[in-house]
Amino acid sequence: MIALVLLGVVALAVGGCVCVVWAERGGPRWVRTVATVTLAAGKVVRRSQRNRRPGLNGTSGDDG
């Protein structure tokens, strides 16, 4: 069951990436919409990773 869920997530991610490339080349409106949603989801994921791991951005918080 978990494998099917992971396979679905991977399929959605690959489909989103294909739509981003297709939209850059002037695809139809629905492709541009999917590409916009995919890019927005990527920004949300990056932002959540940045907020979750503040010590990985080069500053340790130690003054010593």
Side-chain angles (χ1 to χ4, degrees), residues 2-27:
I2 293 174
L4 288 175
V5 171
L6 288 175
L7 185 61
V9 169
V10 169
L12 286 173
V14 170
C17 292
V18 168
C19 285
V20 168
V21 172
W22 192 5
E24 285 291 320
R25 296 173 181 251

Side-chain angles (χ1 to χ4, degrees), residues 46-59:
R46 281 193 306 269
R47 192 170 291 149
S48 71
Q49 289 294 324
R50 192 177 317 139
N51 291 339
R52 212 155 110 194
R53 301 180 183 193
L56 294 180
N57 62 2
T59 60

